[in-house]
Amino acid sequence: MTHLAAVAPPELDELCVNTLRFLAVDAVQQAKSGHPGLPLGSAAMAYALWDRWLKFNPRDPFWPDRDRFVLSAGHGCALLYALLHVTGFDLPLEELKRFRQWGSHTPGHPEYGKTPGVEATTGPLGQGLANAVGMAIAEVALAARFNRPGHEIVDHYTYVLASDGDLEEGISSEAGSEAGHLRLGKLIVLYADNHITIEGSTELAFTENRTARFAAFGWHVQRIEQSNDVDALALALALKAAREERDRPSLIQVRTHIGFGSPHKQDTAAAHGEPLGAEEVRLTKEGLGWPVEPPFHIPEECLKHFREAVARGCAAQAEWELRLGTYAEENPDLAAEFRRVMHRELPESWDSNLPAFTVADGPMATRIASGKTIAVLGSRLPELMGGSADLAPSTHTNMEGAGNFELENRAGRNMHFGIREHAMGAILNGMALHRGLIPYGATFLVFSDYMRPPMRLAAMNGLPVIAVFTHDSIAMGEDGPTHQPVEQLLGLRSIPGMIVIRPADANETVAAWRIAIERRDAPVTLVLTRQGLPVLDLARYPGIPAGVPLGGYVLADSPSGARPDIILIATGSEVHLALEARDRLATEGVQARVVSLPSTNIFSMQSDQYREVVLPPGVPLLAIEAGASLGWRSYVGPQIAVIGVDAFGASAPGPVVMQHYGFTVENVCKQTHHVLGQLKEKR
């Protein structure tokens, strides 16, 4: 199949391209805000792709075998909204008229889940391109798992429209290098090379040879000098060549003109991030032969042509569903499995008999316990797929027997992201956006800083992505302040919608993984130790399996069973310190309760009644965590002591560093008596 639509007459093509241009221009002008330049310059290129090649069904935006189109240059979203409206997605013209307004389905940058047909939230430049790498990985992995000779139920392309800014951001190099290494032949990037950024010409800061750069990554590269020829023969030939190149991803560098047709703003930065202005809109429309009035004009013959996409898409999906039915007859178990993973459903008994650790198994680092849990989950969940940023031996995230995902083994599930944390985070998002996989990625907690942009977007879009961060505190020791995380826990917990879990031992780690796998509407971050920790005996502490999913629970009440004098709240490795201090305090006449709080995010979601049972009002609190104290002071109150870390750590053996920062039984007891003494004085 060389194309999906009959080629329209050149006159109709030109009319359709101008329809897209001026729907976008009018939306920006009415909003008095937005980016008209890219839609004017890239409409012909986008039209050629959507009209001739893109496989989609406006009546079912989530059809599994559709092509994916990612507008990485999210500032040009008015063009995407115009395409979605005219091709028949559930996006009424009224929504284009409400561009960038409160409650509209046409926000200032594309948002996944808000607008039908938007495949990824884009805006931060480079993220969409890297998301697309993840989508292309998912397509290859699922095809290897489910396709059978004569039955290709997974067979689609991933397209990207990217800008100069996308390619300037460093993430494009990380993701581009990974895509080239993996030879993702069904990934095609249309690069709108318009030579302009917000500050002016790209000559100010971006003079490298972009095609040579991507060729060095192992991409198939092409360059087109003319982008506004609506017949677009050069682009058609380039897209055909890109689609036929199955061994390399493709970059098509298209020379575009930002603000095309605007007599005073074409090829200037003024066309980038502000409306053209009423007079310039008039002149641009007149220059391109378009009616000045009314705004949002759509010629009837254009709408008729665009809406052919509905019948075309329905027919393509119906043909696929017939093939899926035949496939199911010959491969019923595989077909059922395909439907299950695409609906993000978990198999029965996936979590039965997960590892349960005993005191005899300790001391055990939670990263080790996580690795043992991954081994079991990987054998039960074939959709579990991930890896690390060159740190698998340290993060224990390699799945035994699952094979490496590589050119020679597309069915492998262990990924090697290389030392590319930023791209890893965005690629995981793309894998989740595609559906069919449970993606995870791992590195040291301090390097979560390199992953923050895609982690924020994962939370914004409720994507089921799992991050595994090890070496979680100053207790990692000798590598020193550059590798000892201090403020990272606070930062990750502050991301709205992010679930952060710092388990106290091996059994809490198993419970944390259960939460991560079950969570379908939010990313989950697991924060794990390098050092060994005692195992909390489930016979002695039976509340662990039920308590961890609540975010916090009473691990050990006051020894006397009476109302506690103080509550010691701790997470991760510091829970054991709190338990030891509890026993010491009992000999000193102080009744202490220990609360394990592996997830402040989940605990805050519980009812007031439950939280007051765990943390009764009026009982003083002492928080203990080897991280920044700032978050805890807002949590437990400014009058309460916090044993935390408000410096960058030091290079020394872990136990020595912990001792110097006050993480000792003696200091916990000292701080407890100090808190109680202050309260006594106030009374």
Side-chain angles (χ1 to χ4, degrees), residues 460-495:
M460 189 181 298
N461 294 286
L463 301 180
V465 172
I466 302 170
V468 181
F469 295 133
T470 66
H471 298 58
D472 70 339
S473 75
I474 59 172
M476 70 166 293
E478 291 85 350
D479 279 339
T482 59
H483 282 56
Q484 291 174 5
V486 173
E487 74 280 15
Q488 282 73 20
L489 270 170
L490 172 62
L492 292 172
R493 287 170 176 156
S494 72
I495 300 174

Side-chain angles (χ1 to χ4, degrees), residues 295-615:
F296 300 97
H297 172 59
I298 305 176
E300 185 176 337
E301 61 269 41
C302 287
L303 188 61
K304 181 180 178 181
H305 178 69
F306 276 122
R307 290 289 164 90
E308 289 172 5
V310 175
R312 193 163 65 240
C314 288
Q317 182 170 352
E319 188 272 336
W320 176 81
E321 288 174 346
L322 283 174
R323 288 191 285 114
L324 181 63
T326 304
Y327 172 86
E329 290 175 4
E330 297 185 20
N331 306 277
D333 293 340
L334 274 176
E337 182 76 354
F338 178 75
R339 292 189 179 97
R340 179 184 72 76
V341 299
M342 295 307 294
H343 285 93
R344 291 179 175 163
E345 297 170 352
L346 295 171
E348 289 185 13
S349 305
W350 69 272
D351 60 345
S352 63
N353 300 316
L354 289 178
F357 299 99
T358 68
V359 173
D361 295 317
M364 181 184 294
T366 52
R367 64 172 175 156
I368 302 293
S370 171
K372 293 179 181 294
T373 308
I374 288 174
V376 176
L377 292 172
S379 67
R380 298 178 182 178
L381 299 171
E383 64 266 42
L384 188 64
M385 183 174 178
S388 77
D390 195 51
L391 288 169
S394 295
T395 58
H396 293 264
T397 43
N398 199 65
M399 288 183 284
E400 189 80 24
N404 292 330
F405 178 75
E406 53 194 350
L407 181 63
E408 295 78 15
N409 183 19
R410 296 304 203 186
R413 295 189 287 133
N414 288 308
M415 300 189 66
H416 295 276
F417 292 101
I419 307 166
R420 305 183 182 103
E421 279 91 354
H422 196 176
M424 177 173 72
I427 288 170
L428 294 172
N429 287 353
M431 294 166 68
L433 286 163
H434 184 283
R435 288 181 173 248
L437 299 171
I438 300 175
Y440 68 89
T443 186
F444 294 170
L445 178 58
V446 75
F447 300 133
S448 65
D449 290 345
Y450 288 177
M451 291 179 61
R452 280 295 295 274
M455 292 184 74
R456 181 176 188 267
L457 289 171
M460 189 181 298
N461 294 286
L463 301 180
V465 172
I466 302 170
V468 181
F469 295 133
T470 66
H471 298 58
D472 70 339
S473 75
I474 59 172
M476 70 166 293
E478 291 85 350
D479 279 339
T482 59
H483 282 56
Q484 291 174 5
V486 173
E487 74 280 15
Q488 282 73 20
L489 270 170
L490 172 62
L492 292 172
R493 287 170 176 156
S494 72
I495 300 174
M498 176 69 70
I499 302 298
V500 181
I501 309 175
R502 188 177 182 232
D505 83 321
N507 287 315
E508 279 202 357
T509 301
V510 175
W513 263 107
R514 182 181 277 108
I515 294 169
I517 296 296
E518 288 180 334
R519 199 86 193 189
R520 301 290 80 199
D521 59 354
V524 175
T525 294
L526 306 181
V527 180
L528 310 172
T529 68
R530 175 190 185 225
Q531 75 275 23
L533 301 175
V535 174
L536 297 171
D537 191 339
L538 291 173
R540 184 177 181 186
Y541 302 107
I544 291 174
V548 174
L550 296 171
Y553 63 103
V554 178
L555 179 64
D557 216 338
S558 59
S560 68
R563 180 180 173 87
D565 300 313
I566 193 167
I567 297 174
L568 308 179
I569 309 175
T571 77
S573 53
E574 290 72 71
V575 169
H576 304 277
L577 179 60
L579 287 171
E580 291 183 51
R582 166 185 174 271
D583 294 340
R584 174 80 63 85
L585 287 168
T587 67
E588 298 171 357
V590 176
Q591 297 292 306
R593 168 184 289 184
V594 173
V595 168
S596 177
L597 204 70
S599 179
T600 59
N601 312 99
I602 299 177
F603 187 68
S604 67
M605 299 175 191
Q606 307 310 315
S607 66
D608 291 344
Q609 181 180 11
Y610 175 75
R611 284 185 284 131
E612 289 180 2
V613 167
V614 177
L615 304 174

Side-chain angles (χ1 to χ4, degrees), residues 58-192:
R59 294 293 180 261
D60 185 358
F62 294 105
W63 167 32
D65 202 41
R66 70 193 182 279
D67 290 338
R68 271 61 170 177
F69 173 79
V70 179
L71 181 67
S72 192
H75 54 276
C77 59
L79 172 60
L80 177 57
Y81 299 148
L83 283 162
L84 293 172
H85 168 69
V86 296
T87 56
F89 284 83
D90 185 15
L91 190 68
L93 185 61
E94 186 61 32
E95 290 297 325
L96 273 67
K97 296 177 181 179
R98 299 178 62 233
F99 180 53
R100 290 187 164 218
Q101 305 307 302
W102 180 267
S104 78
H105 293 287
T106 50
H109 290 84
E111 295 181 29
Y112 173 74
K114 176 163 285 189
T115 311
V118 168
E119 298 282 8
T121 294
T122 55
L125 291 169
Q127 293 292 326
L129 193 158
N131 289 164
V133 173
M135 294 175 185
I137 287 171
E139 193 273 344
V140 168
L142 291 169
R145 181 178 168 200
F146 290 107
N147 287 353
R148 292 296 181 269
H151 298 288
E152 293 191 347
I153 61 168
V154 181
D155 183 16
H156 51 265
Y157 288 83
T158 301
Y159 295 95
V160 182
L161 198 163
S163 64
D164 290 296
D166 290 292
L167 267 63
E168 281 192 69
E169 287 286 359
I171 190 174
S172 71
S173 289
E174 290 187 24
S177 178
E178 178 79 348
H181 167 72
L182 291 172
R183 300 192 184 182
L184 301 174
K186 295 170 81 173
L187 171 64
I188 300 173
V189 176
L190 294 171
Y191 163 34

